[in-house]
Each structure stands twice: as structure tokens, then as C-alpha cells.
Amino acid sequence: MLYAVVMSADLPPFPRSQDPLRETELFQLGTREEEPCLRADAARNRARLLEAAARLIAEHGAAGVTMEAVAAAAQVGKGTVFRRFGDRTGLLMALLDHSARQLQADFMSGPPPLGPGAPPLERLRAFGVAMLYRSVEQLDLHLAAEPEPTRRYSHPSYRAVGMHVTLLLRQIVPDADCELLARTLLAYLDPAQIHHLTRECGMPMERLEAGWTDLVARVTQTAPPA
């Protein structure tokens, strides 16, 4: 349970409009509708809507998040929610993006083994465990926000983690097709599969962790940790 003690089931605090961009935001996570320099009132409205959506999820689950419910909870018109996020999927993806920023900050500048300072193989193992626990803690949100096939793999959060895993693999197995191997590894961490294995098959997280470690060893042709 390497990452469970770090990640909280609660979303991290929503950023204020005056927060500066940091190096950890290199991959530019966020939805297409998220302008780089929102007006102060627009940024406040966006944070207010996301906070309202997060409260609804905490109280009623992801199924309780509708555009109408979020508008009512934030005390704004429904049109405001649609203008900001486009549709329900866009709103839920914005919530996931916010959580993904914290994970990205951890693997780009946090402490090892997830962050810099550990060998790439150790970082890859830690990354998978972190993704497993993040998915389990927010599984309902992940499933509700699952984008349509044409949007799924082009989403900034998927591209960010894909780039990270690819870069680690290039340090471990430089002669391999690391981009395709990265997609193979990320398929193991798919939230829909995690839902099936944990909730429908009753597999414990310890087995999924061990499976990730074994998969990394086989893909990279390295020895598993002692």
C-alpha cells in the first residue's frame, strides 16, 4: 500500500485563480475549454462549480451529478455550467483533471520512489501502485467520466501519464518500442478493469499490486524486487 497513505479520497483544494503555474504543470492537464488566463470572476465561478460537483459526489455518488444539480448547488444558471464544461462528461473530466494534477506533481517533483531520485524501474513500480489506489479511491467518478472512445486516449491526462511511463521505459529498455509498451502497462491500470477485478471478482488490492510488479518485471525483462 505504497501510495494509499499519500492519497486521500477527498479531492485536493481547488486552485485559486492567482496561483502561479509551476513546472509540475508541464503536461498542461486540463480540458480544452480551460483557458490559460481566465478572468478572476470566471475562475471563481469555475472553482465554485467544481466544488459543488465534488460535494454532490461526496453526498450522492457520481450518479447524483447532473448539470442541473450542479447549477442548483452552486446557485448559478444551468447555462453557466454548460458554457464552462460543455456537457456532463466534460464536468466530470474536469474533476478528474484536478485530481490528476496532484498525481502529476507527485511523479514529476515529489519524493522518491514515485518522484525523481529513484531508479526508473522503482519509479515505474511506484507509479502503477499510485495509479491503482487513485483509481480505487475515485472509482465511481472514473467510471462516470469515462469519455467516448474518440476522446479517451487523446485526453490530456492520459497523454501525460503515457508520456511519463514511456520516458521511464526508455531508460529501462531503450531498444524496445516503449510507446506501445507504455500503453500495454496502462491497460492494466484501466479503471473499468479495476472495477471488475475488485468489485465483481473480489480481488484484494494486494493481488493487484503484486500483479503490477510481476507485469513490469516481465515487460522490462528485469528481476522482481526481492
Side-chain angles (χ1 to χ4, degrees):
M1 296 179 63
L2 175 66
Y3 201 55
V5 296
V6 179
M7 285 293 290
S8 167
D10 298 325
L11 291 173
F14 289 93
R16 300 183 299 274
S17 59
Q18 65 268 30
D19 284 347
L21 289 175
R22 298 184 296 274
E23 184 179 357
T24 54
E25 294 173 322
L26 175 65
F27 290 132
Q28 297 295 319
L29 289 180
T31 58
R32 188 162 49 93
E33 295 80 12
E34 206 176 333
E35 297 88 352
C37 296
L38 290 174
R39 297 193 318 271
D41 58 341
R44 284 194 297 270
N45 284 340
R46 186 176 190 278
R48 185 178 177 184
L49 292 169
L50 289 175
E51 288 166 357
R55 287 197 305 271
L56 288 172
I57 288 177
E59 295 170 1
H60 307 291
V65 178
T66 65
M67 304 299 263
E68 295 80 2
V70 171
Q75 298 182 331
V76 300
K78 184 172 66 173
T80 301
V81 188
F82 278 98
R83 283 192 298 273
R84 177 52 55 200
F85 301 106
D87 55 20
R88 181 175 181 270
T89 296
L91 171 61
L92 295 174
M93 288 303 298
L95 283 170
L96 282 180
D97 285 343
H98 180 64
S99 172
R101 288 177 186 271
Q102 180 59 55
L103 176 63
Q104 181 181 320
D106 289 342
F107 70 65
M108 289 186 67
S109 60
L114 183 58
L121 183 58
E122 291 184 21
R123 295 189 67 194
L124 183 58
R125 293 177 187 139
F127 170 81
V129 175
M131 285 287 288
L132 282 171
Y133 279 97
R134 173 177 173 266
S135 293
V136 166
E137 289 168 352
Q138 300 175 2
L139 198 50
D140 289 340
L141 176 58
H142 276 279
L143 295 178
E146 183 72 17
E148 61 188 35
T150 57
R151 296 168 61 182
R152 180 179 184 185
Y153 296 109
S154 62
H155 193 272
S157 61
Y158 185 88
R159 294 202 308 269
V161 297
M163 183 182 299
H164 177 63
V165 173
T166 299
L167 292 175
L168 291 177
L169 286 171
R170 285 175 179 164
Q171 298 176 63
I172 303 168
V173 282
D175 296 333
D177 188 336
C178 295
E179 186 175 355
L180 287 180
L181 287 183
R183 291 179 180 270
T184 299
L185 290 174
L186 290 175
Y188 183 89
L189 305 172
D190 178 67
Q193 176 166 255
I194 294 172
H195 173 272
H196 173 71
L197 294 177
T198 58
R199 297 190 180 179
E200 297 179 12
C201 298
M203 288 188 187
M205 287 298 294
E206 291 78 9
R207 184 175 176 184
L208 295 187
E209 284 187 53
W212 169 258
T213 301
D214 180 63
L215 179 61
V216 168
R218 294 176 186 275
V219 166
T220 60
Q221 298 182 2
T222 56

